[in-house]
Amino acid sequence: FFFTCLSIVPLLYNFSMSPSSSPPSPPSSRSSIVSSALRIFGLIASLAFAIIFSYPQPDIDWEGTILPNANRYMQTTSSSSPLNGLVIAVTGSTSGIGLGLTRKLSELGASVLAIGRSSSKLDSLFGSDKNIKTVLADLNDLESVANASHYILKEYNHLDILVNNAGLHTGIPGFGDYPTTKQGYEQTFGVNYLSHFLLTEKLLPLLTKKKNKKGKRSKIIQVSSSFHWGVDGTDLSSSSNSQPIASLPGGSHGFFFYRTQRQYANSKLAQIYHARSVRKNYSNVIAVSACPSWVGTRILGNSQWSYSIFSKLAFPSDGYGLHSIFNAILDVGSDDDDDFYVNNDSPLAVLADLMPSW
């Protein structure tokens, strides 16, 4: 719709230049250049939109890829519930990628800890699934995250996989609008990174405890983003007497919309740094990051128009949007082969990779 509107601009411009009752003055070379540029831009934008919109969405091959990979990972043969015996925690389980992932992991036989902030939503979504246990945690509040981790430590004697999935993007903010967490940190950074940092560090005693029955080390999966390439890490630096600018209200350098892009990119880069730090310091845990690329979720909030666009153009959150995460979970290659998994079978994903730094 946006690009279609842009394509109409040259027509409106030309209409405004139509003859009137008085003799028109000769068009200036400048107006001719502007008109031509608008025509070309509108055409290119419309074509790009048409190509992206009509591009066939890839399907995730559950029977031919995911199920065999799960059986190989668990060293079983032809089991319909190959992940039976694994305990997997997933944040942001009540919507989007987290909801799709939680349900699919349960279908594959895993015991899933569904972590979310709404008890009523958790109960309505998972109350009848015997493989799913719910854990209440508001990632906007570090005290709530700490309480959730204490509950898991108390109730479980091991944790095989932690998927730090939940996240948000503030989209287009109002002028002077700097949302923060309950503890006063910039909200995008606090929810996407700090909450998961705290949860991961609290749960490391379970994650590092022992290998599972199949001899597999525990895994930490950070659902990050290729969008981290848009920043260079300077907003994450701190001195002995100051917090990183990424954690402060406002969150980053930049202006208006560009600032929110840096906020999101900063949070995703910080997640990757944390995974690599855990990987370096704990030899008995595998910590990796995964980019699901463009997925049809409500990451921009409850805006219906943004969700409608995302759901039509992006990967489905219960389908191919889960592909890179399952690759990260079920990878049986060398521990040092990969630490970043990505879905890139889409024009939108390619465009995202080409975006400049913010």
Side-chain angles (χ1 to χ4, degrees):
F1 176 79
F2 174 70
F3 289 120
T4 302
C5 289
L6 286 179
S7 69
I8 296 174
V9 170
L11 300 178
L12 296 177
Y13 181 83
N14 288 337
F15 179 79
S16 69
M17 299 292 290
S18 61
S20 60
S21 56
S22 58
S25 57
S28 66
S29 59
R30 182 176 182 180
S31 64
S32 297
I33 293 173
V34 171
S35 177
S36 298
L38 286 173
R39 285 174 182 271
I40 294 171
F41 178 76
L43 178 61
I44 293 174
S46 297
L47 288 173
F49 178 77
I51 292 171
I52 292 172
F53 201 85
S54 61
Y55 190 85
Q57 290 284 16
D59 293 324
I60 189 168
D61 187 358
W62 296 106
E63 295 296 327
T65 301
I66 301 301
L67 193 58
N69 286 350
N71 276 292
R72 183 165 60 251
Y73 179 76
M74 293 298 290
Q75 301 171 16
T76 59
T77 56
S78 303
S79 172
S80 60
S81 302
L83 301 187
N84 183 41
L86 287 188
V87 178
I88 303 176
V90 181
T91 66
S93 288
T94 58
S95 65
I97 293 171
L99 177 58
L101 182 63
T102 297
R103 286 175 169 166
K104 292 300 182 181
L105 288 171
S106 173
E107 290 176 15
L108 291 170
S111 296
V112 187
L113 306 184
I115 302 173
R117 63 180 178 178
S118 169
S119 57
S120 59
K121 211 169 181 180
L122 286 167
D123 291 340
S124 65
L125 289 171
F126 309 121
S128 61
D129 193 323
K130 64 179 182 180
N131 285 343
I132 300 176
K133 304 299 181 183
T134 61
V135 178
L136 194 63
D138 181 359
L139 302 192
N140 200 52
D141 179 3
L142 294 179
E143 183 177 354
S144 176
V145 175
N147 290 337
S149 64
H150 294 157
Y151 169 80
I152 295 172
L153 287 167
K154 178 181 177 182
E155 295 294 323
Y156 294 87
N157 60 16
H158 77 285
L159 180 61
D160 297 293
I161 300 171
L162 171 63
V163 184
N164 290 323
N165 160 76
L168 59 81
H169 189 302
T170 52
I172 302 176
F175 285 100
D177 181 19
Y178 301 138
T180 61
T181 66
K182 187 174 181 181
Q183 283 73 31
Y185 298 106
E186 193 280 315
Q187 189 176 53
T188 303
F189 190 76
V191 171
N192 294 1
Y193 168 65
L194 288 178
S195 66
H196 288 128
F197 176 91
L198 178 63
L199 182 67
T200 300
E201 294 295 319
K202 289 280 190 181
L203 295 180
L204 276 173
L206 287 184
L207 291 162
T208 59
K209 194 170 186 179
K210 62 179 180 180
K211 294 182 178 180
N212 63 30
K213 296 177 181 179
K214 299 296 183 179
K216 303 291 185 182
R217 292 183 293 167
S218 295
K219 280 188 175 183
I220 299 166
I221 313 295
Q222 303 276 46
V223 180
S224 183
S225 173
S226 296
F227 206 67
H228 76 274
W229 291 329
V231 291
D232 59 6
T234 55
D235 289 346
L236 302 177
S237 301
S238 64
S239 62
S240 58
N241 59 353
S242 68
Q243 295 176 208
I245 188 173
S247 70
L248 300 174
S252 75
H253 302 290
F255 172 72
F256 194 48
F257 178 72
Y258 295 98
R259 187 184 68 249
T260 64
Q261 307 317 301
R262 286 185 65 90
Q263 289 168 356
Y264 183 76
N266 282 330
S267 70
K268 293 304 173 180
L269 181 59
Q271 281 189 291
I272 294 171
Y273 282 166
H274 186 212
R276 291 179 177 175
S277 173
V278 171
R279 191 182 181 96
K280 178 180 178 180
N281 293 313
Y282 295 90
S283 60
N284 51 350
V285 178
I286 299 172
V288 297
S289 302
C291 172
S293 189
W294 293 71
V295 181
T297 71
R298 294 188 181 274
I299 191 171
L300 294 177
N302 293 319
S303 169
Q304 187 57 41
W305 70 266
S306 63
Y307 175 69
S308 297
I309 293 174
F310 260 50
S311 61
K312 287 180 173 60
L313 298 181
F315 300 136
S317 59
D318 59 351
Y320 197 78
L322 303 177
H323 192 259
S324 61
I325 301 172
F326 268 107
N327 282 345
I329 292 173
L330 303 176
D331 189 2
V332 294
S334 168
D335 297 339
D336 296 320
D337 279 353
D338 291 296
D339 75 342
F340 193 79
Y341 300 77
V342 63
N343 290 339
N344 55 15
D345 192 8
S346 164
L348 284 174
V350 174
L351 289 174
D353 290 347
L354 295 175
M355 293 181 73
S357 297
W358 298 99

